[in-house]
Amino acid sequence: MTLADTKGLWFLLSIPLFILMYILKQKLKEEEVSSLYLWKEVIRNTEARRPFDKLRKNILFFIQLLLILLLILSIANPYISMKGRGDEDLILIIDTSGSMKALNNDGKSRFNLGKDYAEDIVKNLSKATSITLISSGGSNKVEISSSRDKGEVLGKIKSLEPSNEKGDIENSYSLLKSLSKDMKAYNIVAISDRNIEFKDLKGRLINPSKTSNNLALDFISNSRKGEEVKVMVRIINYGLEDDTADISLYGDDKLIDVKTLDVKKGETKNIYFDGFKGDYSTLWAEISKKDSLEEDNRIYSVLKSKTSSKIMVFTDKNIFLEKALNGMKDIEVYKGNDIDNIPTGYDLYIFDGQTPKTINNDINALFINPYEDTSIFKIEGSSEGEEFKPDIHNITKFMSKSSFVSARYSTLEKPHWGENIFSSNNKTIGFVGMERNRKIGVLGFDLHNTDFPLKPEFPIFMNNLVSYMMDRNFMSKRSFYAGEKIALDINSSAKEVNIKSPSSKTKTLDINKGLSIVGEEVGVYEVTQKVDDREIKYNFVVNFPKEESNISIEGEVTNNVINNKVDIRASRSIQKYIIIAILLLLMMEWFVYTKGEELWGYK
């Protein structure tokens, strides 16, 4: 038998007061006597005043004492566990989030201890019990549904592994509600280090947490000033005592600096590293000492680039083009004045309505509405008034349902290395391609004579086009948390994309099936794109979710865990039966009080 509310046992302190009332109670009676002989009876009555003699053969005392005990027991709401019952289904949900990796004082992780509890539960169930197993990491996933095969369930429990993701078990109510509504009778058991609101559901929590200390790095940022780099790292002490730690800063795999810091319990501190130079791709900080949760002892960031990409634009005046370029991140736009004197040192040259007499062989060039032939391409003719739809190309991949109208346009002679992005009646209107070792793009229409700039797809098209022309990665976000879906920045001409994870596992992505991944490992990822005969590389980082670093124990460990054994069985409250017994005893007390002297000589 188990008590649902042990606070009711405090009323047991009232029992000594009840006994004391009986002991101190005096019952005197006046009598007229005819001789001293009767004083013998008085002496016997005096001896009866000895305190505990008053309790002898006092039926009412024992009835009332039993009433008090039963009343206290009903307040504690006892229920009995019935091993071997098969009329109640079990929904077992196991937390697989990052905080479950935390080690208890005995060196065993919360997750592994939780799996032991889960296995103990399943082994003690009846063969007729139907089991539904749910894993809860970044999302809640039904691993097994309504199975009576204990071996299958135990095998799946053994195969579960903790993730680095932010937990979602607090939001499992809707799933549990949906699963339980079709069950006649059920039990829900959740194994987690987070509190769960079961609300109207019949559930209980097993918390495998034990007291442990943890220092965590939960934020890192970097900035440049000239050649110098400045880094800020934040550390939090989630432990129950003050601590001291060495924080090391690395650039790629090279140690930059080490600082020692005292952090009080519950304190957050910032550490600054500045005054150093280096052409690193990534920066990361590390707490040197081991603690309960090692996954949050490292934090990574991508080092900001020294300079932005530079574009030189030759145009009379094109508001649409200028706004589209200025809206791109990490881009610096310059306006050229002399078409016959082209400066060097820019990543892309855009010629809008202008055509230079000579074009250097080492520059990336985009021509918009050219009016004459060049050494790179030729104009075939011109036409008026037509609606265009983009051709299938990575640059136009978000424009499959869009179109625009041009009042006038030029048809182009596409070179053998060119790829159409706009065409009409087998005539090329726009193309891009790699000519020798440079990117060339040509659009045979004036933006002012089209409604293209008014379309919502125009900024996307310009972003894709410019990124293609410069091999630019415009992925604005380079830092993610484990479990996030990451949309990769891939060059529109990439033929193959490979990703190397922090554990050096390489995966080739299918370009036709979407270019996104879920960052499961913590660390630095490297993306390699094969574009023509070149490889383009960039990095992004995945960090441990800061919400999972707080491994302090929430609430109390459930009383279903006794001597490291779990007793989760079908249960039934016996409170109503105790109340019935109390009512029967009250009737008995009344009967003894009114009829006791008549029937048994009891006064």
Side-chain angles (χ1 to χ4, degrees):
M1 184 175 69
T2 308
L3 302 180
D5 187 3
T6 56
K7 294 178 182 178
L9 298 179
W10 283 101
F11 288 100
L12 289 173
L13 296 176
S14 64
I15 291 178
L17 295 176
F18 170 73
I19 296 174
L20 187 62
M21 289 173 59
Y22 261 89
I23 292 175
L24 297 179
K25 180 181 177 181
Q26 293 191 10
K27 191 174 182 180
L28 300 177
K29 186 177 179 182
E30 293 184 0
E31 296 283 349
E32 291 183 2
V33 296
S34 59
S35 72
L36 295 176
Y37 178 78
L38 297 176
W39 281 104
K40 295 179 181 179
E41 182 69 20
V42 174
I43 293 172
R44 284 197 295 269
N45 288 337
T46 302
E47 291 175 347
R49 291 195 191 100
R50 293 171 185 171
F52 291 98
D53 286 347
K54 292 186 178 183
L55 302 181
R56 293 177 186 174
K57 300 180 181 180
N58 195 330
I59 298 176
L60 283 177
F61 167 77
F62 291 107
I63 291 176
Q64 292 169 359
L65 179 61
L66 183 58
L67 278 170
I68 293 174
L69 290 173
L70 288 176
L71 185 61
I72 293 172
L73 189 61
S74 69
I75 294 173
N77 190 15
Y79 59 89
I80 57 174
S81 299
M82 294 162 283
K83 184 176 181 179
R85 288 178 59 94
D87 58 348
E88 293 192 348
D89 295 333
L90 175 68
I91 301 176
L92 181 60
I93 179 169
I94 301 177
D95 191 344
T96 61
S97 64
S99 62
M100 292 291 284
K101 288 186 172 183
L103 302 178
N104 292 322
N105 292 336
D106 57 2
K108 194 167 190 175
S109 72
R110 295 175 177 181
F111 184 76
N112 286 333
L113 182 58
K115 287 210 299 186
D116 290 346
Y117 290 158
E119 291 174 10
D120 187 57
I121 292 170
V122 173
K123 289 175 182 177
N124 285 287
L125 290 173
S126 163
K127 292 182 179 180
T129 301
S130 179
I131 307 167
T132 296
L133 177 64
I134 303 171
S135 62
S136 181
S139 61
N140 297 299
K141 178 183 177 184
V142 178
E143 301 285 352
I144 293 178
S145 178
S146 301
S147 173
R148 289 185 171 86
D149 187 342
K150 285 188 179 182
E152 179 190 17
V153 176
L154 289 171
K156 177 57 71 172
I157 291 174
K158 288 181 182 295
S159 69
L160 291 178
E161 293 293 337
S163 68
N164 290 317
E165 301 175 353
K166 177 184 174 183
D168 191 46
I169 197 167
E170 296 94 336
N171 299 319
S172 60
Y173 171 80
S174 59
L175 175 60
L176 297 174
K177 182 75 172 178
S178 175
L179 292 172
S180 62
K181 70 179 182 179
D182 296 326
M183 300 176 180
K184 292 182 179 179
Y186 67 90
N187 270 316
I188 298 174
V189 178
I191 299 176
S192 173
D193 57 357
R194 295 285 188 260
N195 285 331
I196 302 173
E197 290 292 334
F198 291 106
K199 299 180 183 179
D200 58 327
L201 299 178
K202 183 183 177 183
R204 63 191 72 170
L205 171 70
I206 296 177
N207 189 334
S209 307
K210 294 183 180 180
T211 303
S212 53
N213 293 321
N214 186 42
L215 289 173
L217 300 178
D218 79 332
F219 182 78
I220 184 171
S221 65
N222 65 81
S223 60
R224 284 184 179 273
K225 188 175 182 180
E227 293 293 323
E228 292 191 350
V229 180
K230 184 176 183 179
V231 178
M232 191 273 279
V233 180
R234 186 167 64 201
I235 186 172
I236 301 178
N237 186 354
Y238 288 108
L240 301 176
E241 55 189 29
D242 300 347
D243 210 338
T244 302
D246 293 331
I247 294 87
S248 305
L249 179 69
Y250 293 83
D252 296 331
D253 292 323
K254 181 181 179 182
L255 178 64
I256 297 173
D257 197 1
V258 180
K259 293 192 176 184
T260 302
L261 202 67
D262 296 324
V263 191
K264 297 180 180 179
K265 62 178 182 180
E267 186 179 21
T268 300
K269 277 192 172 182
N270 296 330
I271 313 108
Y272 295 92
F273 301 88
D274 52 16
F276 67 90
K277 300 178 182 180
D279 189 18
Y280 308 111
S281 59
T282 55
L283 297 168
W284 53 281
E286 180 182 42
I287 299 173
S288 57
K289 66 186 300 184
K290 291 185 177 181
D291 54 21
S292 299
L293 188 61
E294 293 188 29
E295 282 71 16
D296 59 9
N297 287 358
R298 283 189 179 188
I299 191 165
Y300 302 82
S301 71
V302 176
L303 182 62
K304 294 181 179 179
S305 59
K306 294 180 181 179
T307 59
S308 302
S309 299
K310 297 191 296 182
I311 298 177
M312 173 64 71
V313 180
F314 292 91
T315 182
D316 292 331
K317 189 174 184 181
N318 192 329
I319 288 290
F320 303 124
L321 178 62
E322 292 173 7
K323 282 191 174 181
L325 295 175
N326 289 328
M328 298 179 191
K329 294 184 178 181
D330 302 325
I331 289 288
E332 294 180 5
V333 181
Y334 299 86
K335 193 170 182 179
N337 297 318
D338 187 357
I339 192 70
D340 295 321
N341 185 19
I342 300 176
T344 59
Y346 292 84
D347 300 288
L348 175 63
Y349 295 82
I350 299 179
F351 304 99
D352 176 38
Q354 302 182 29
T355 306
K357 293 179 179 179
T358 58
I359 304 173
N360 295 340
N361 293 327
D362 58 351
I363 68 171
N364 298 322
L366 172 62
F367 298 87
I368 301 176
N369 190 34
Y371 60 86
E372 62 181 353
D373 296 345
T374 68
S375 58
I376 303 173
F377 61 89
K378 296 185 183 301
I379 299 174
E380 288 186 337
S382 62
S383 299
E384 294 184 358
E386 190 167 338
E387 183 178 5
F388 297 112
K389 286 189 176 181
D391 288 13
I392 298 175
H393 194 279
N394 284 335
I395 292 177
T396 59
K397 59 185 175 182
F398 300 112
M399 301 173 58
S400 59
K401 297 181 180 180
S402 64
S403 63
F404 66 94
V405 176
S406 177
R408 185 177 180 83
Y409 61 92
S410 299
T411 56
L412 309 169
E413 182 181 317
K414 185 185 71 173
H416 66 89
W417 43 263
E419 300 171 349
N420 279 353
I421 54 177
F422 295 108
S423 62
S424 174
N425 298 321
N426 295 322
K427 296 289 186 179
T428 299
I429 310 300
F431 69 87
V432 294
M434 173 70 73
E435 196 268 336
R436 298 180 185 176
N437 292 318
R438 60 177 175 174
K439 290 288 184 68
I440 299 295
V442 184
L443 300 179
F445 50 84
D446 185 352
L447 292 175
H448 295 92
N449 293 330
T450 73
D451 62 350
F452 192 19
L454 305 179
K455 302 286 184 178
E457 295 86 359
F458 179 69
I460 300 174
F461 167 76
M462 289 302 301
N463 204 346
N464 288 347
L465 178 59
V466 169
S467 298
Y468 168 85
M469 298 298 299
M470 297 191 301
D471 291 332
R472 167 179 170 258
N473 295 310
F474 53 90
M475 191 173 181
S476 59
K477 184 179 179 182
R478 293 295 184 87
S479 179
F480 303 88
Y481 289 112
E484 277 192 73
K485 187 175 182 180
I486 303 168
L488 301 176
D489 170 24
I490 303 301
N491 189 285
S492 57
S493 295
K495 303 301 181 183
E496 183 179 320
V497 179
N498 296 312
I499 297 182
K500 186 168 73 172
S501 69
S503 59
S504 297
K505 296 178 182 177
T506 301
K507 178 181 180 181
T508 300
L509 297 184
D510 187 342
I511 297 178
N512 298 319
K513 292 185 178 180
L515 296 170
S516 63
I517 66 166
V518 175
E520 297 176 347
E521 293 185 51
V522 171
V524 180
Y525 290 73
E526 182 181 80
V527 180
T528 303
Q529 310 170 61
K530 292 185 179 180
V531 181
D532 300 319
D533 296 328
R534 300 167 299 147
E535 285 190 347
I536 303 173
K537 296 184 179 182
Y538 72 89
N539 296 333
F540 66 88
V541 299
V542 172
N543 288 310
F544 190 76
K546 57 185 178 181
E547 295 87 354
E548 295 298 304
S549 294
N550 187 357
I551 60 172
S552 56
I553 298 176
E554 297 182 10
E556 297 180 356
V557 177
T558 177
N559 57 7
N560 295 103
V561 181
I562 303 172
N563 297 326
N564 291 327
K565 294 293 181 181
V566 183
D567 188 16
I568 303 296
R569 313 174 187 181
S571 61
R572 179 172 295 174
S573 174
I574 60 173
Q575 188 181 50
K576 63 180 180 180
Y577 301 107
I578 296 175
I579 293 174
I580 292 173
I582 290 173
L583 293 174
L584 292 174
L585 280 174
L586 285 172
M587 294 173 62
M588 182 184 294
E589 183 195 23
W590 175 82
F591 184 79
V592 171
Y593 183 78
T594 56
K595 302 293 184 178
E597 185 175 1
E598 178 182 342
L599 297 176
W600 305 293
Y602 174 74
K603 299 182 180 180

